[in-house]
Each structure stands twice: as C-alpha cells, then as structure tokens.
Amino acid sequence: MRSCSKIYTIVEYGSFTREISSYGYQSLPGKVFDALETFILANNNSNAGTEAVELLSLSVRRGVGKIITAKNYVGLITMSDGTVIEILPKIVGGNITEGDTKRIFLEMLKTLRDVPFKDFNISHLHFDRLNLLEIFIRMFLDEVSILTKQGLKSAYTPVESNERFFKGKLLTSQNIRYNLVNKERIFVCYDDFNINRPENRLIKSTLRFLFNSTGDGHNRQHAARLMNLFDGVEYSKKYDADFSKCFSDRSVNHYNKVLSLCRVFLKGNSFTAFAGSEVAFALLFPMEKVFESFVAAKLRKHMGSGINLRTQDNRFSLFDSPNRAFALRPDIVLEFCGNTIVLDTKWKILSDYIRNNGISQSDMYQMYAYSKKYEADRIILIYPYSDSVSRTDIRYSSDDDVNVNVFFIDLKNADESISSLLSKVIF
C-alpha cells in the first residue's frame, strides 16, 4: 500500500455519494466508491459472520444516485490504493469537536476486552491533527518502542552455508554440488543465535508497511528509527508461516500486544472478520458493544465494595421449556444486599421530535421480560446524552409493578454521569 493519498471522513450514519456533491453527503471519487461498494458486496456474500448491512448499506436516491451509508460500525477502512475511509461515532451535546469525538471514542475503545492497546496513553495525542489511521499507527510505534527498550529476543535459527571451517552438520548433497572441485569449502548446516526470529521479522515488516502508509512526518521518522534497531533482522517473506512459528511463552509475553497489531496491519485481521480484496485492512468496531463495555468499565471503577456486577448475564430464558428457549441476556446486572438492578445500554441518540423519544417498542418488551424474570428492583435503560431531549427524568411504569428508568451518560463527563447514576440506584 502506498502512502495514503486521501482521507474521507464521515460521522456514524453519514453517507457517501459517487462523484456528486449534495448537501448532507460526502462525495467520493468513482474509483473509491466502486471499491467500497465491492467491499460491501463481498461481506454481504461471505461467511465472515458480519453482514454488510451492519457495516455499510448501499441504496439509491433520486437525484443523487447510489449512496453508501455508515451503520453501526465505527473506525477506518484503508483501501488497497492507500485511500482511507474514516467513520467517527455520532456524539452529540455541547460543543463537541472532531478532536473530542476521537478522544472519547479511543477512551471507550480501550475498555474492550480483546483490543491490544488497553494501556496506551492517549493524553499526548493531537486529535484535531491526526486521523484515526495515524493514531493507530502511533499506538503501534509506541508499543514497539517499549518492546525495544525491554530488549529484542534472540533465538537459534538454522543456517545453511558454504563455510571454510566445519561446524554443525555436513549437508552431503549440497557439498557435492558446490564443492566437488572446490575442496577449500564445506557445505554445512548449523544453528546461529541471533535476533532474526519470526516475531522480529513480522515487526520489521509491519514497520516498513506503516512507513510507506503514513502521511504524518512524525510517524514516518519514528518508523524509520525503529527499523534501524532491527538491523540484522530480515523482512518476513511469508507472513502466515512466520505467524505460525510465534509461540507464546513467558520469555516473549511482552511481544503479544505488538504481534496482535502486526496481524491487523499485515493480514488485515481486524477485531471483526471482513472480506474483500479492495481493502488493505479494516479496523471497525460495533458501537453497541463499545458503549456497553465502556459503561460496565466505568461502573466497576466507581461502585463500592459489596456490589456484584455481571455482564451479558445468561441465567434466565424467556421460557423454561423446551430447553430454556429464547435466552435473556441483559448487558449489566448489579446485585447487592438482596437487590437486583438490570441495566441495558443502547447506542442510540434520542430526541423530542421522535415518538417515545426514539425508544423502540421491542426494547421495552425486552425490559419488561427482564423485570419479570429477574424480579428486578429496578430496570434502567442507558443512552448517550443528547441535547435533543429536554427531559432527563424519563420513566415508564405499569400497573403490575414494572418500572423502567431512562438514564443518559454524558460522554464528555462520563465519570460524573456514572457517579450520579450509582448514587440514584444504590439505595
């Protein structure tokens, strides 16, 4: 992949058009639009486990033509020609800048279980200047810097060479071929202890890939400096073969984070499976899961002792027969002093201008079932804060004692919001 030629940014649920400038839409060059369309269709027809409709949707509108709309996934798609599609989450309320959006998104992302940059410090990043691709590249480079300070691991690697002195094992057939006339040399195989091991080859290859991909001068210089530290390490010739030789043991545990990111950049292995030859790699994250993980992490941080928190609890089903049919799986369950509170997170912007503020009927059926099955003392629906909702004390009650409260998390002040939530529900 060449250095990124162009970055196109939209916000969640924003749309791209094909070479048509229209209000509310971001125009894409025909070649890029077609490549993105191919990506959608490839995922729609693949067995990757992620339907394209969840990622991006393709439709036609009169006067505009084809449009591609971002759906529930946020992150970036890097095309084979270097073009970057950046999709940011829709965060509303107050004076939210694009830099604020990126910072909040990365803070939320760090709470996901399987991401390799949980401990990455983002406070020093210039979010208004860096796009998501450059931020992820910066994360990788910083992780490699830490790794090199801890020391690159060496290993015994087999070497076949025509030597002047005998060492290791004689390779008879090669020796006859090369030295039938030349008696001064002997063809041998021996083990050499050096840093040219699979892990280091993969890291050096990723550094070269990112050196050619980045458009940021600081990242480019940083990548070049790090490649110099891998002098004596070859570039990986076969990624799959080298990854298969990476065995985790205690001596190389500090390689794990870096190798996880190597898989993303070198093999296109995102945290969700995608297909499509038009895409170099994709880093796309489902915002429903990101928001749920973020709220749970903040609750753990602020709640006191004596409270048991369960995520994705699966103890109950809607029906007990046959075989626990229609499993119930609330996002978060809090248990303390004999009380049970069920919390469900919804990544959706509510508004006064939509019926029931945009709260879906199916979600309320779900809350009703949670209340009955868990015999919950309180049910709470959690949404991101929206200044499109004038009331923040939304509550629904039934005559059979089911009460559902709606609570909003201000993502710019998440710790304060979570503390306020706990003060209201821990009674």
Side-chain angles (χ1 to χ4, degrees):
M1 188 179 76
R2 300 186 301 273
S3 295
C4 53
S5 54
K6 182 67 176 176
I7 298 167
Y8 298 92
T9 302
I10 56 173
V11 176
E12 197 178 4
Y13 297 104
S15 299
F16 290 114
T17 59
R18 190 183 191 279
E19 297 184 336
I20 294 177
S21 297
S22 181
Y23 178 75
Y25 298 100
Q26 165 79 279
S27 175
L28 283 182
K31 184 179 178 181
V32 177
F33 188 98
D34 294 342
L36 200 55
E37 180 180 353
T38 300
F39 173 68
I40 295 171
L41 297 175
N43 280 280
N44 196 37
N45 296 322
S46 75
N47 296 317
T50 303
E51 295 183 4
V53 70
E54 296 178 356
L55 303 169
L56 301 157
S57 68
L58 182 66
S59 59
V60 178
R61 294 200 179 168
R62 183 178 299 174
V64 178
K66 287 183 178 180
I67 65 168
I68 292 174
T69 303
K71 298 299 286 293
N72 301 319
Y73 282 69
V74 168
L76 61 91
I77 301 169
T78 303
M79 315 305 287
S80 299
D81 67 352
T83 302
V84 177
I85 306 296
E86 183 181 60
I87 306 170
L88 299 178
K90 188 173 183 179
I91 298 174
V92 299
N95 298 315
I96 301 286
T97 66
E98 186 174 300
D100 292 332
T101 298
K102 292 173 187 174
R103 178 187 57 78
I104 292 169
F105 171 56
L106 288 169
E107 288 288 4
M108 296 173 71
L109 205 55
K110 287 168 64 176
T111 66
L112 283 178
R113 171 185 287 180
D114 297 325
V115 295
F117 36 76
K118 281 179 177 293
D119 303 321
F120 185 77
N121 180 15
I122 64 173
S123 61
H124 65 290
L125 296 178
H126 301 286
F127 291 102
D128 292 316
R129 185 175 64 83
L130 293 174
N131 60 66
L132 286 180
L133 173 61
E134 300 296 353
I135 290 171
F136 285 123
I137 290 175
R138 183 73 55 85
M139 288 178 174
F140 178 79
L141 298 177
D142 285 359
E143 289 292 347
V144 175
S145 292
I146 295 170
L147 176 69
T148 57
K149 290 173 183 175
Q150 293 173 322
L152 297 179
K153 288 295 181 180
S154 299
Y156 285 102
T157 56
V159 177
E160 294 184 3
S161 177
N162 209 13
E163 298 287 338
R164 291 184 179 275
F165 304 98
F166 180 84
K167 54 181 173 180
K169 182 175 67 173
L170 173 68
L171 297 179
T172 305
S173 59
Q174 290 93 326
N175 192 54
I176 294 172
R177 186 186 314 154
Y178 292 100
N179 300 322
L180 186 60
V181 177
N182 181 15
K183 302 296 185 181
E184 295 178 355
R185 292 183 177 272
I186 186 167
F187 210 101
V188 294
C189 176
Y190 60 92
D191 289 332
D192 185 42
F193 192 68
N194 56 54
I195 61 172
N196 188 32
R197 59 185 292 162
E199 295 88 347
N200 293 334
R201 291 197 294 270
L202 291 165
I203 294 169
K204 187 173 182 178
S205 296
T206 308
L207 288 170
R208 179 177 62 176
F209 175 77
L210 297 180
F211 176 83
N212 293 327
S213 302
T214 182
D216 178 72
H218 180 275
N219 280 349
R220 193 173 179 85
Q221 291 176 7
H222 196 180
R225 287 197 300 270
L226 289 171
M227 277 193 287
N228 289 333
L229 298 178
F230 285 78
D231 187 33
V233 177
E234 299 173 359
Y235 291 109
S236 177
K237 296 180 177 65
K238 295 182 178 179
Y239 299 152
D240 287 334
D242 276 343
F243 275 120
S244 69
K245 296 173 185 174
C246 297
F247 300 107
S248 181
D249 60 53
R250 293 178 64 181
S251 67
V252 290
N253 277 346
H254 57 298
Y255 274 77
N256 290 343
K257 283 188 195 177
V258 173
L259 288 175
S260 293
L261 285 170
C262 285
R263 286 187 174 89
V264 172
F265 292 120
L266 293 181
K267 298 188 62 183
N269 285 8
S270 182
F271 304 97
T272 307
F274 301 109
S277 59
E278 300 291 337
V279 172
F281 63 88
L283 278 166
L284 293 168
F285 305 89
M287 282 306 297
E288 284 281 358
K289 290 183 179 179
V290 173
F291 186 52
E292 174 197 330
S293 174
F294 181 69
V295 171
K298 289 296 183 182
L299 284 169
R300 286 192 182 96
K301 176 183 176 182
H302 289 280
M303 69 186 191
S305 59
I307 302 174
N308 182 36
L309 184 150
R310 300 172 180 265
T311 57
Q312 290 295 306
D313 188 66
N314 61 357
R315 285 174 293 173
F316 297 102
S317 298
L318 194 57
F319 299 101
D320 299 318
S321 178
N323 194 27
R324 298 187 65 202
F326 303 101
L328 298 177
R329 196 179 291 270
D331 293 336
I332 302 167
V333 177
L334 297 181
E335 296 170 320
F336 58 96
C337 302
N339 300 302
T340 300
I341 299 175
V342 176
L343 305 96
D344 221 53
T345 60
K346 302 295 179 185
W347 181 254
K348 185 177 183 181
I349 305 300
L350 299 189
S351 172
D352 288 339
Y353 304 103
I354 308 173
R355 184 180 180 186
N356 295 324
N357 298 111
I359 301 171
S360 74
Q361 190 159 325
S362 60
D363 284 344
M364 278 305 183
Y365 288 157
Q366 193 178 33
M367 298 309 109
Y368 189 90
Y370 290 162
S371 178
K372 291 299 183 182
K373 281 292 182 176
Y374 280 82
E375 298 180 354
D377 298 276
R378 190 171 295 181
I379 302 290
I380 299 175
L381 267 173
I382 300 177
Y383 292 88
Y385 171 76
S386 168
D387 50 12
S388 297
V389 178
S390 56
R391 290 177 54 207
T392 57
D393 59 343
I394 301 173
R395 179 177 178 177
Y396 296 89
S397 300
S398 70
D399 56 8
D400 57 346
D401 203 29
V402 173
N403 299 296
V404 180
N405 290 80
V406 176
F407 193 88
F408 297 94
I409 300 293
D410 181 355
L411 294 173
K412 282 194 75 173
N413 301 287
D415 290 294
E416 185 178 321
S417 290
I418 291 294
S419 293
S420 175
L421 170 62
L422 285 170
S423 67
K424 293 176 181 178
V425 301
I426 305 300
F427 40 80

